[in-house]
Amino acid sequence: MAKACSGSCIHGVPACGSCGHGSAPSAVHFSVTTWNLLARSYTHHYFGHHGGDWWESETQTCQRYELAAREILRLKSDVVCLQELEDTFFQGDWNWCAKEFNNEYYQVAWDWNSPGTAVLLRASSSVERFGKLTVSNCCVAAVASLTVGGFRLMVVNAHLHPRQWKSLPQLQQVGEHLKGETLVVFAGDSNCLLYTSDAADERSSV
């Protein structure tokens, strides 16, 4: 929940809640869902960890995608962050709920990978895209600039590498694109955060 100021805020952030400007602030609610879809191209590695050596069948992928899409539709979140996303998730041959899902959600930011990450907005939501955000040389996260209740909010959807020596540079790269931003939602799949006892301290310093 965030509170929007009724007038010009001296802090430069309409939702800072500390300026005391104007009348009593009104509450603004919005919701975020984050979901790792498990890309079909990764299922071979997944089954390998469990003693198998096969790929998921096309029918299994279709069933999983449909279940995920229907649950996201049921939740009706304003913002959806997807990881391990492949184009097939939006195609009817692979997702039997694709048409209904595509009518309700549209992409506003995505990275360059496949499978990759994306930030989606609900078509009927009051949350809007804030201009066009172009993130150069960032292939580890989808970063969206949104307007929620009159203030600007950055949504970062990242899929971090499970190994700390790779995930920390990823976080640093994302941080370069967020300099000067006050309101940020960081979502996604962080995998295993604590491989070492000092991992938390190192990540908090990024």
Side-chain angles (χ1 to χ4, degrees), residues 42-57 60:
Y42 291 168
T43 56
H44 176 75
H45 304 291
Y46 177 80
F47 288 128
H49 287 298
H50 296 274
D53 188 24
W54 61 87
W55 296 84
E56 181 179 64
S57 69
Q60 287 175 313

Side-chain angles (χ1 to χ4, degrees), residues 4 29 31-32 34 52 76 114 118 131 135 137 143 161 164-165 168 183:
H29 297 267
S31 53
V32 178
T34 179
K76 297 181 179 179
S114 182
V135 178
N137 301 322
V143 184
H161 195 277
Q164 182 183 337
W165 64 276
L168 288 176
L183 300 174

